[in-house]
Structure formats: C-alpha cells, structure tokens
Amino acid sequence: NITFLCGTEHTPFHGGVFRCKLVIDNDFPSKPPKGYFLTKIFHPNVAQPSGDICVNTLKRDWNPASWSLAHIFSIIKCLLIVPFPESALNEEAGRLFMESYDEFFSQAKLYTVLEYESLFL
C-alpha cells in the first residue's frame, strides 16, 4: 500500500508531497506492517537512506483489533506535525530538533523543497 502525504502548514514539511509505503506480510493483522517514506525526508523518526519509520503505532502499541491501514497512514501524517526525537532513527535530525529547532526547521525545509522540485525535473 502506497499513499501520498502532504506536509502540514506551520511545519518544515509544508508544501511537500511525500510518498509513503506500508509493507504487509502474511502475519498481518496480528503483526504490524512496516512503514517507509519513499520520498527523502529529514525527520527524527525516519531512517536514512532506508526511509524506515519509527512510530509506536507500528511497534509496541500495535493492536490488530483497533488499527486500520487508513488510521496507520493518519498516524504517520501526525509525525509530520509532531516528531518524537526521543526515539530518533535519524540522530542528526533528532539532535537538531532538541537543541536548535530553527536549524532543524531549515534543514527539513531544504529537503522538502528539493524533493518537491525534483518531481518536476
């Protein structure tokens, strides 16, 4: 399952369009899918270069009875609004987010602009 997520206003991801993929194996729904950003993004909870997403919904908080794929994509979109640098997969992004939000914002915005512009080249 692949979807497109748009960056939210007042975040460094605003104006960006991000391709996101869920990989579902045979154990679903008893086991959560794995989430990936296919679009390069500078974000504490997204590993580079794999795009692997760290979100508790897809890890320790997984409850197969109460999560739909649409809900999972909504949770991932929420990461674009409120990152969790405490569980960073991208240590540089997590450090900047905690120590200098302005620098984090600038770096994340640069990635967003460059990736969006590359769609039209």
Side-chain angles (χ1 to χ4, degrees):
N1 281 318
I2 296 178
T3 195
F4 291 90
L5 303 175
C6 294
T8 305
E9 197 172 5
H10 307 296
T11 72
F13 311 109
H14 178 68
V17 178
F18 303 91
R19 288 179 50 218
C20 186
K21 172 174 85 169
L22 293 179
V23 176
I24 301 165
D25 68 15
N26 293 333
D27 294 330
F28 182 81
S30 62
K31 182 178 169 188
K34 293 184 186 275
Y36 299 91
F37 273 94
L38 301 177
T39 305
K40 190 173 180 181
I41 184 171
F42 187 75
H43 191 288
N45 305 108
V46 181
Q48 288 301 329
S50 70
D52 187 29
I53 300 169
C54 179
V55 61
N56 286 335
T57 302
L58 299 179
K59 308 250 187 254
R60 67 179 175 152
D61 294 342
W62 179 252
N63 180 347
S66 61
W67 301 106
S68 68
L69 295 180
H71 185 74
I72 293 167
F73 281 124
S74 294
I75 296 294
I76 293 170
K77 183 171 173 84
C78 286
L79 274 181
L80 296 179
I81 301 167
V82 183
F84 295 103
E86 297 83 9
S87 61
L89 290 178
N90 181 328
E91 290 182 24
E92 179 186 1
R95 182 185 55 76
L96 281 178
F97 187 91
M98 299 291 279
E99 295 175 3
S100 176
Y101 183 78
D102 290 342
E103 286 183 52
F104 164 77
F105 191 100
S106 294
Q107 186 74 13
K109 188 65 176 176
L110 179 63
Y111 273 63
T112 300
V113 169
L114 292 175
E115 286 300 308
Y116 186 75
E117 288 176 353
S118 73
L119 292 173
F120 302 103
L121 295 178

